[in-house]
Amino acid sequence: MQHPSLLPDFPRPLLFAHRGLNRIFLENTIEAFRAAHDAGVPGIELDVHLTLDGALVVFHDDTSGRIEKQVNPSAPERNLSIEGSTLAELRALSIGPRIPLLDELFETFGNRIYYDIELKCRSASDTGLASSVAASIRRHGLEKHCVISSFNPFALRYFRKAEQDIPIGIIWNKSKELYWFLRHGEGALIANADFLKPEFPIAAHLLLYLRILARRPIVPWTVNDVSIARKLLKGGAEGIISDEADAVRAAVWH
């Protein structure tokens, strides 16, 4: 099978703001993504869950507690499951109005940027997340502006069944939260991934090896140090994902 090219219509190196400019604005919000766009960052990385009633919400964690406490430390402890709650229940939280839908994000930014959409799902079963994301991308005509990534190789396989022309990438690190058999990029084989998204310390040590062995584009995360960004790009990384995307862009892209 021929692998789809990684955002071929956009100049290299690729640059994604990790959850928007999250050091300044609340992560994964329209404000954080708008700040990245206004700073000239060409791409954004975001996380998507499927709620109990089938809504695609842009949110990183499995539960609401961390962000609730970040926004309002005195807020009542609710800590709702994102996938186990309805959109109405999530929107009723103090942070609820700031949780965007994927469609709302697409409506706001359209084809002015490119997107790395991380599928957030721990199940090996088909939850409907992958096909729902594929349908949303098609509704907005953004197939050439999107790549899909996940720690979960099975979610990527379900996405590939729903959409053949959008690149899929496997994410991995050495965290014990990740199944042991996925801590060295093995998910790339399970998913037949089109590109690789290792955490940057892994990429820094194995970049040449990965390029030769896997013959896939590599986009490391989360690269916040300018010198490391330069090293990775010089070593052949296709792009980077950064919490400091505006600062990295100013230092490396000019």
Side-chain angles (χ1 to χ4, degrees):
M1 175 182 173
Q2 184 175 358
H3 292 270
S5 299
L6 192 65
L7 299 171
D9 295 338
F10 297 95
R12 267 44 180 176
L14 300 170
L15 176 63
F16 299 87
H18 185 235
R19 308 180 204 169
L21 290 190
N22 67 75
R23 77 182 190 281
I24 302 172
F25 297 92
L26 184 65
E27 66 179 52
N28 274 325
T29 58
I30 296 294
E31 295 91 341
F33 297 129
R34 182 176 287 116
H37 175 262
D38 290 347
V41 180
I44 60 172
E45 185 271 352
L46 59 131
D47 309 277
V48 176
H49 287 268
L50 188 69
T51 67
L52 188 62
D53 55 343
L56 292 171
V57 292
V58 179
F59 201 82
H60 178 270
D61 296 0
D62 293 337
T63 58
S64 63
R66 178 179 67 89
I67 298 298
E68 288 183 273
K69 288 298 182 184
Q70 182 178 336
V71 172
N72 183 4
S74 62
E77 184 68 42
R78 297 191 64 184
N79 203 30
L80 294 185
S81 163
I82 304 303
E83 295 176 9
S85 303
T86 65
L87 179 61
E89 289 170 333
L90 295 175
R91 284 276 164 93
L93 296 171
S94 59
I95 60 171
R98 302 184 70 180
I99 302 175
L101 296 173
L102 182 60
D103 280 329
E104 292 172 343
L105 189 68
F106 286 158
E107 289 164 4
T108 301
F109 297 103
N111 62 9
R112 292 181 290 157
I113 59 176
Y114 48 79
Y115 307 81
D116 174 6
I117 302 169
E118 181 179 339
L119 303 180
K120 303 296 286 190
C121 176
R122 295 181 183 270
S123 176
S125 301
D126 188 355
T127 65
L129 171 63
S131 58
S132 295
V133 169
S136 178
I137 294 170
R138 287 193 294 266
R139 277 198 303 275
H140 294 272
L142 293 173
E143 292 93 331
K144 293 185 178 181
H145 288 72
C146 293
V147 300
I148 300 295
S149 59
S150 186
F151 283 95
N152 185 338
F154 304 104
L156 294 176
R157 286 173 64 95
Y158 295 128
F159 185 88
R160 176 55 72 238
K161 289 181 180 180
E163 172 58 56
Q164 288 74 49
D165 297 327
I166 296 175
I168 56 174
I170 193 70
I171 314 171
W172 81 94
N173 59 11
K174 295 183 179 180
S175 169
K176 291 185 178 179
E177 291 187 15
L178 195 62
Y179 289 120
W180 64 268
F181 61 88
L182 296 177
R183 293 177 195 164
H184 299 88
E186 296 92 338
L189 300 176
I190 298 172
N192 192 23
D194 305 310
F195 69 102
L196 307 177
K197 266 183 67 175
E199 191 172 17
F200 82 85
I202 297 171
H205 289 95
L206 298 176
L207 186 61
L208 182 61
Y209 170 79
L210 290 172
R211 288 180 63 209
I212 294 173
L213 183 67
R215 297 182 181 178
R216 301 284 186 273
I218 300 170
V219 183
W221 62 280
T222 303
V223 185
N224 298 332
D225 184 283
V226 169
S227 63
I228 293 175
R230 288 196 178 106
K231 177 183 177 181
L232 289 169
L233 294 171
K234 185 177 180 180
E238 196 84 358
I240 60 173
I241 299 164
S242 178
D243 293 312
E244 306 275 351
D246 54 340
V248 170
R249 177 185 178 275
V252 177
W253 268 248
H254 292 284

